[in-house]
Amino acid sequence: MRTKTVGGKKRCLTLSTTSPFSSITPDSDDEDPNPHLRKDIIWNRWVIFSQDRTKKPCDFKGKSTFNTNPSRNKPCIFCIGYEDECTPEIFRVPFDELNWKIRVVEHPYPALSRYVPELHNVPPEDTVLDGFGIHDVVIESPVHSDQLLELSPREIGEVFVAFINRIHELVPLGSIKYIQVFKNHGASAGASMSHSHSQILALPIIPTNVSARLSNMKDFFYQTGKCCICEIQHEDLLIDSSTYFFSLVPFAASYPFEIWIIPRNHSPHFHELDAEMAFDLGGLMRQTLRKISFQLNNPPFNFMIHTSPLHGDGTELAYSHWFIQIVPQLVPTTGVELGTGCHVNPVLPEDAAKVLREVIVPVFAHDRRTIGFSPPSKIVDYSEAFTTKEVFPTREYLLNWARAIGRENGFTVIIQRSDNGGTGKKKIGRKTTVILGCERSGKYRQYKDALARKTGTKKCGCPFRLRGRPVRNGDGWKVNVVCGFHNHEVIETAIGSTYAGRLSGEEKSLVDDLTRSMVKPKDILQTLKERNEENLTSIKQIYNVRQQLKRSRIEVGTLSIEN
């Protein structure tokens, strides 16, 4: 340690004397550690670590990107069934299948034009180039409401495989020098579409940041004979690991809770991954994103794949090592960063790594794959079954018709939203409408104070939608299909369905009377079915209703005694 006089006072600057990646652990007795600087040798910049005295590391939260407004989850051009409205498709996974899982399409608003003639040899003195390049979008799921962290490890791995396959298609283009794969999650992170997607930008130049990164890696290699990325493994910075990868908070992290995912073995090019490694990467990425979501309140984030240029001379293979950088958007960029290039990080990397390492990700209630459910074998379109020109005399006729068609096809139709347009003094001019959906639409909302669900939920974000509206003259109702697709397997019978088997108030009174008369549950169920041939109640629901009635009687008796 050395002491300098700054502004008339003595300040201590703690500098690492062993390795530029060694961790600095503040004295546990020091509740107010002094700010210090660390040199990030990969980006060749200093980072100021000035801890926020008003917050603990675990108190940092982002502005959640969970969409709690159901009306904003309507299908978009990236959704299945809307392929004709989207930009031209490059390829899909599975290839040439109607029920696709991933699509790669041209970006609707590309940063560069793919139609400008290629320029293979650009004079170094040129400062203006034609805006040639390739800008693609990778649609990660056919379902609008799915986020990347909700996919299975294999499905996320397939997204990485799609990146790799697209890069291999672009490699032969001699004018393309560098390919940047990135994802913007959340509007404040730059995402213009809420449907989960990533982007691929193929550039005719090697960007300045990339050149600087490679130059710094080269300098470290010539000084030490080692790859600087291979040297950054440190137990205080590690978060998780898998067979082929590990995640950590970098020693000189520029942003709070910044995370890198790094290949264990030296690898200069991302697109050299094979399928097995991609699926392994998918599992670690899923775990990392879930930890960020649970600990930091599902904040906006960006991830970037930092790889090597396509057409190097081969000398960079020894020191270039690709990695993924994930940056949660927790603090704004200020004039300090813009003016000096020195980032100010209020969370020490060791503290951030410890918090993320100790996060126990609960079972997400909407995650069917972790609790024994298997994903659907295909996505089925029921548009034809609900397409009709019939005018229904009343709203109730329309509802009964839709529910009957749903039962015939193995799912339950429910009312998602109903709007009568306002009445009397509160009439505000909205259109009278009713939105119908599948009982498995939407998602279970995990409240902060609630315990993690040990059981599953039927909610899986099913995109199926019907819209019912009165005809123009007000005499009857009509229906149109908004989205006819279901993203789950339908059931063979509706018996036992939570919605289809619900008991009416009259039926609950009958169950109560028969229970008081000591009638067995199976005989109660038989009585209900004799009274209504279309009754879909199961014996389990009879037991549940009996238990609810029993609790109600106990609560009423307790109140009577107290009074």
Side-chain angles (χ1 to χ4, degrees), residues 91 93 158 160-170 271:
F91 66 82
V93 180
E158 289 173 343
F160 286 116
V161 172
F163 295 158
I164 294 167
N165 290 339
R166 182 54 177 154
I167 293 173
H168 279 296
E169 291 180 348
L170 297 173
H271 64 275

Side-chain angles (χ1 to χ4, degrees), residues 497-513:
S497 167
T498 305
Y499 286 92
R502 287 186 300 179
L503 276 68
S504 65
E506 182 182 348
E507 288 173 327
K508 287 183 179 179
S509 298
L510 178 59
V511 171
D512 191 19
D513 293 339

Side-chain angles (χ1 to χ4, degrees), residues 106-119:
E106 296 181 9
H107 197 290
Y109 308 103
L112 296 169
S113 173
R114 65 181 71 220
Y115 302 111
V116 175
E118 298 183 7
L119 300 174

Side-chain angles (χ1 to χ4, degrees), residues 456-469:
T457 175
K458 292 184 178 180
K459 300 293 186 182
C460 62
C462 179
F464 177 80
R465 298 286 187 280
L466 303 176
R467 178 183 288 111
R469 288 176 176 172

Side-chain angles (χ1 to χ4, degrees), residues 199-263:
Q199 301 181 53
I200 300 175
L201 184 62
L203 298 165
I205 58 167
I206 298 177
T208 305
N209 271 7
V210 177
S211 298
R213 169 169 56 85
L214 293 175
S215 177
N216 298 328
M217 289 179 168
K218 180 179 180 180
D219 290 344
F220 184 90
F221 179 77
Y222 284 164
Q223 292 173 12
T224 65
K226 299 177 181 179
C227 165
C228 60
I229 298 291
C230 292
E231 290 294 296
I232 68 175
Q233 303 180 40
H234 195 285
E235 59 181 7
D236 291 337
L237 301 173
L238 283 172
I239 303 172
D240 290 302
S241 61
S242 64
T243 304
Y244 298 105
F245 301 90
F246 61 91
S247 61
L248 54 72
V249 178
F251 166 76
S254 298
Y255 309 92
F257 290 93
E258 176 185 346
I259 299 172
W260 291 4
I261 297 180
I262 302 172

Side-chain angles (χ1 to χ4, degrees), residues 429-471:
R430 296 193 305 264
K431 292 183 178 180
T432 302
T433 184
V434 59
I435 303 298
L436 306 179
C438 175
E439 66 171 319
R440 301 185 67 174
S441 62
K443 296 193 176 181
Y444 174 79
R445 293 178 62 188
Q446 181 71 51
Y447 294 94
K448 293 181 179 179
D449 297 332
L451 296 175
R453 286 172 62 106
K454 299 300 182 183
T455 57
T457 175
K458 292 184 178 180
K459 300 293 186 182
C460 62
C462 179
F464 177 80
R465 298 286 187 280
L466 303 176
R467 178 183 288 111
R469 288 176 176 172
V471 295

Side-chain angles (χ1 to χ4, degrees), residues 56-71:
K56 297 179 181 178
C58 59
D59 293 334
F60 277 82
K61 304 292 180 184
K63 185 177 181 181
S64 177
T65 56
F66 276 121
N67 190 358
T68 57
N69 183 357
S71 65

